[in-house]
Amino acid sequence: MSVEQTEPQSFNLSEFDVSTDIKAYVHSLFSVSVHEEKAMEQSISEISQDFLSARYTSTNAGLTSLTSSFIDSQIPLKPLELDHYLKFLYGTVVNHSNHTSSPRFIGHMTSALPYFVRPLAKLIVAMNQNVVKTETAKTLTLHERQALGMMHRLVYGFSESFYQQHIQENGSTLGIVTSGGTSANISALWCARNSVLGATEEFAGVEKSGLAAALKFYDYDRAVIIGSSLMHYSFDKAADLLGIGAQGLIRIPADHQNRIELQTLRQTVAECRRRNICIIAIVGIAGTTDSGGIDSLKEIADIAQAANTHFHVDAAWGGPLLFSKQHAKKLVGIAQADSVTIDGHKQLYLPMGLGMVLLQNPHLANVIQKRATYTARDGSGDLGRRSLEGSRPASALCLHAGLNLIGVEGYEVLVDEGVRKTQYMANHILSHPEFELLAEPEMNILLYRYLPSRWRSLAALGKLTQADNNAINLFNQQLQKFQRQIGQTFISRTVTKTTAYGKGLAITALRAVIANPCTTESDIEDVLNDQIQIALELEQSLLKEQSAS
Ligand SMILES: *Cc1c(COP(=O)(O)O)cnc(C)c1O
């Protein structure tokens, strides 16, 4: 996409001389159905189509060189001409953005979206509802509650009468819509903390009295959250905000399948009991961000139940597996969770900024309830009463639309296809000596690495030393960076410590995430061939460097 192609149409703003008639100009910005809006929509729609149909993943402009276009910190005194501003927006910002919807952009959890969410996002902005309270979001409050009820039913599958009773009952909270998985995890653990250290007849509870007083009252030395070493870093944020500190987040090692070690979990829980430590929650992961590994949720649920502790499942990535007859069984035990995080902007294929936490007990969220006189009134249906966020957009409109327009069977296809194509990629990697598969994929995330030719025979014999692995790590880092810079295809990278090379040895892995429904087998082959090509050049230049030194 060149700047020429992105040339916006000229706009008829000449009615007002922006430099002299500022009052008339500002008023014109708020008028309905102006000619300018139509023209701008037309131009943006063309730019979007261009952007969406690109197959390359990014231009080769580096971040450092782009930075120079973004250092001016002065707010213009006079409004800029619209076409002048749009030219900058298209040419500099949009043009060099990442094509997350490209079928060859298969390295992150962000991919293509169904077409209908784009016009719906426009509708959300046009209506500009504020879902914090019913007075600014009358029907969208009900609409959101209905969507949450559907998601609750997907996870917990309670009776029809349960949903009839709670779905629109102001006193019940089947779930909370958030801006993403991070806020959802924080909200869940906030509920867990306030519940376990709640009010009694003699004590006002942690919500009123704070953590120090609560631990003292309940005779605990400290409080912790327990999960695997692969917990998302949003749990670090939660531990920090909830006042238990980084040391309050206990990370238990994961096995070679990236699952929490159950025996260590049992021992840790027992030790917490012995040492007077309050367990706020035990966390199970349904699809780790790194590798897609799924904890043994059923076993963790039983451990949590025996310890009478809140069980939270972070299914931000893997939750939609529940739509699939074939793969839902991997999440067995999730219905025993007190709270479940699912991201809408990941495998529900909804726009960025949509997550949710679902709550088994419709009254759990009462422990975080707040009120204000001008809003969030007692007994009202104001959603802001029981949510971390205040003013927020009606993004759940897209959730409701997605559930209705894609449906259970549609989501099942999306899930099954992703897993199937990931298996295809794994098989392709296994049959190419240039690559090494680092773990069997559990769902649609794949960890592998490139093996430069001089290490292939040693690797086949299982005789790589730590020094060899360090060198291969460095090589894969460079490979991933070059591939990203060239911008024809994209794979992310991570560091994994749970491979066949033994626990604790840090291996740099290339990480594929296959979620884009438009990604085909031949796209996958192209991405891998691109990597082989780049790696060959890299190997050659490294050889040259060595012989020169
Ligand atoms: C993505 C993710 C999160 C965080 O969600 P955001 O929407 O990025 O805030 C938490 N946990 C897991 C397992 C994730 O994959």
Side-chain angles (χ1 to χ4, degrees):
M1 189 169 67
S2 70
V3 181
E4 281 72 42
Q5 276 177 293
T6 67
E7 194 63 53
Q9 313 187 343
S10 57
F11 293 92
N12 182 21
L13 274 170
S14 47
E15 282 173 47
F16 311 106
D17 180 350
V18 166
S19 54
T20 56
D21 200 353
I22 184 76
K23 239 180 175 172
Y25 170 75
V26 168
H27 273 282
S28 78
L29 293 180
F30 291 84
S31 62
V32 177
S33 182
V34 286
H35 163 77
E36 281 79 7
E37 181 172 344
K38 285 239 162 63
M40 188 172 165
E41 271 183 359
Q42 175 67 26
S43 141
I44 284 194
S45 145
E46 281 163 22
I47 290 294
S48 305
Q49 291 306 321
D50 249 19
F51 188 80
L52 289 169
S53 50
R55 290 181 66 76
Y56 66 98
T57 56
S58 176
T59 65
N60 61 5
L63 257 187
T64 326
S65 72
L66 287 170
T67 304
S68 62
S69 308
F70 300 92
I71 50 176
D72 190 354
S73 59
Q74 280 194 60
I75 302 172
L77 192 61
K78 305 271 184 210
L80 296 187
E81 291 285 348
L82 180 66
D83 50 358
H84 182 82
Y85 184 72
L86 288 181
K87 207 181 229 169
F88 158 75
L89 195 63
Y90 296 162
T92 308
V93 183
V94 179
N95 191 25
H96 296 294
S97 283
N98 305 90
H99 294 248
T100 54
S101 59
S102 159
R104 295 169 186 192
F105 184 92
I106 50 172
H108 280 304
M109 294 175 153
T110 309
S111 81
L113 295 175
Y115 80 87
F116 61 78
V117 298
R118 286 185 285 276
L120 286 179
K122 236 185 226 175
L123 179 65
I124 292 174
V125 174
M127 292 170 72
N128 198 29
Q129 304 289 290
N130 183 352
V131 197
V132 74
K133 52 181 179 281
T134 56
E135 286 179 358
T136 49
K138 190 164 58 176
T139 48
L140 278 157
T141 298
L142 307 176
H143 197 238
E144 174 172 313
R145 290 192 69 111
Q146 186 180 21
L148 283 167
M150 293 177 185
M151 290 302 296
H152 191 283
R153 195 164 182 159
L154 175 72
V155 171
Y156 294 107
F158 288 161
S159 67
E160 176 64 30
S161 64
F162 173 89
Y163 292 103
Q164 295 247 342
Q165 183 189 340
H166 294 288
I167 198 159
Q168 298 296 350
E169 162 57 44
N170 289 345
S172 306
T173 310
L174 296 183
I176 304 167
V177 169
T178 63
S179 61
T182 298
S183 306
N185 282 336
I186 292 171
S187 303
L189 295 169
W190 182 23
C191 289
R193 188 199 66 166
N194 285 14
S195 175
V196 68
L197 298 173
T200 69
E201 277 176 14
E202 301 91 51
F203 179 59
V206 63
E207 188 211 351
K208 301 272 180 327
S209 310
L211 189 62
L215 292 176
K216 197 164 167 202
F217 173 81
Y218 280 99
D219 204 17
Y220 285 124
D221 290 338
R222 49 191 281 242
V224 296
I225 293 164
I226 309 174
S228 96
S229 60
L230 299 171
M231 273 186 292
H232 186 265
Y233 70 103
S234 49
F235 290 95
D236 296 299
K237 298 180 185 178
D240 189 350
L241 287 169
L242 293 177
I244 63 170
Q247 289 172 352
L249 188 65
I250 301 182
R251 289 179 176 272
I252 300 218
D255 63 18
H256 67 284
Q257 284 177 298
N258 296 302
R259 294 178 183 164
I260 192 168
E261 282 179 2
L262 292 169
Q263 203 42 38
T264 318
L265 174 61
R266 285 191 193 97
Q267 286 161 3
T268 307
V269 169
E271 181 154 340
C272 287
R273 287 277 168 273
R274 254 199 322 278
R275 291 176 42 198
N276 240 10
I277 295 172
C278 170
I279 303 173
I280 291 177
I282 298 177
V283 176
I285 313 171
T288 65
T289 316
D290 238 20
S291 66
I294 302 172
D295 280 330
S296 310
L297 302 180
K298 179 82 186 73
E299 282 75 9
I300 305 176
D302 293 341
I303 295 170
Q305 194 176 5
N308 196 21
T309 293
H310 185 106
F311 175 37
H312 174 67
V313 171
D314 181 1
W317 179 251
L321 257 62
L322 290 169
F323 287 112
S324 162
K325 287 188 281 297
Q326 199 185 340
H327 299 293
K329 43 184 177 285
K330 295 175 181 166
L331 304 192
V332 160
I334 196 170
Q336 282 172 261
D338 296 286
S339 52
V340 175
T341 286
I342 298 181
D343 250 331
H345 57 217
K346 288 181 180 166
Q347 298 212 77
L348 291 177
Y349 297 89
L350 301 172
M352 204 43 61
L354 178 58
M356 75 202 78
V357 58
L358 303 158
L359 304 169
Q360 188 193 59
N361 174 350
H363 301 122
L364 177 65
N366 290 351
V367 296
I368 61 166
Q369 183 163 306
K370 302 284 178 285
R371 55 179 70 81
T373 44
Y374 48 90
T375 177
R377 295 188 192 102
D378 274 347
S380 75
D382 296 347
L383 295 174
R385 286 192 305 160
R386 302 181 209 113
S387 80
L388 177 59
E389 283 153 78
S391 293
R392 60 185 177 85
S395 5
L397 188 148
C398 284
L399 172 63
H400 195 285
L403 295 175
N404 279 283
L405 299 177
I406 297 177
V408 173
E409 289 185 0
Y411 276 119
E412 178 174 37
V413 168
L414 290 167
V415 167
D416 288 356
E417 282 293 281
V419 178
R420 187 187 61 74
K421 284 183 277 188
T422 308
Q423 199 56 55
Y424 173 85
M425 185 168 184
N427 293 338
H428 193 88
I429 284 168
L430 283 171
S431 65
H432 284 70
E434 293 91 340
F435 295 112
E436 180 183 37
L437 192 67
L438 291 170
E440 270 301 315
E442 186 77 44
M443 46 173 108
N444 54 351
I445 302 180
L446 192 63
L447 298 185
Y448 65 103
R449 65 176 175 174
Y450 183 85
L451 283 175
S453 51
R454 57 177 284 212
W455 282 292
R456 276 176 212 157
S457 46
L458 277 179
L461 296 169
K463 285 191 174 164
L464 291 176
T465 64
Q466 181 145 0
D468 293 331
N469 273 314
N470 290 344
I472 300 170
N473 285 351
L474 201 62
F475 187 93
N476 278 276
Q477 281 170 33
Q478 288 182 322
L479 168 59
Q480 193 268 345
K481 270 191 212 164
F482 279 128
Q483 186 180 22
R484 184 183 64 207
Q485 272 161 21
I486 296 165
Q488 288 304 308
T489 58
F490 180 80
I491 289 277
S492 65
R493 71 166 194 270
T494 185
V495 174
T496 171
K497 291 187 174 177
T498 48
T499 66
Y501 288 99
K503 233 166 50 190
L505 183 61
I507 300 283
T508 296
L510 301 169
R511 171 175 170 268
V513 183
I514 315 263
N516 188 336
C518 302
T519 299
T520 62
E521 277 92 341
S522 93
D523 287 315
I524 291 171
E525 286 168 24
D526 288 348
V527 173
L528 291 171
N529 288 338
D530 205 21
Q531 277 183 330
I532 292 177
Q533 212 48 50
I534 297 166
L536 281 177
E537 282 167 35
L538 197 56
E539 280 191 75
Q540 273 161 11
S541 70
L542 287 176
L543 277 179
K544 257 187 229 154
E545 261 174 47
Q546 273 170 5
S547 59
S549 65

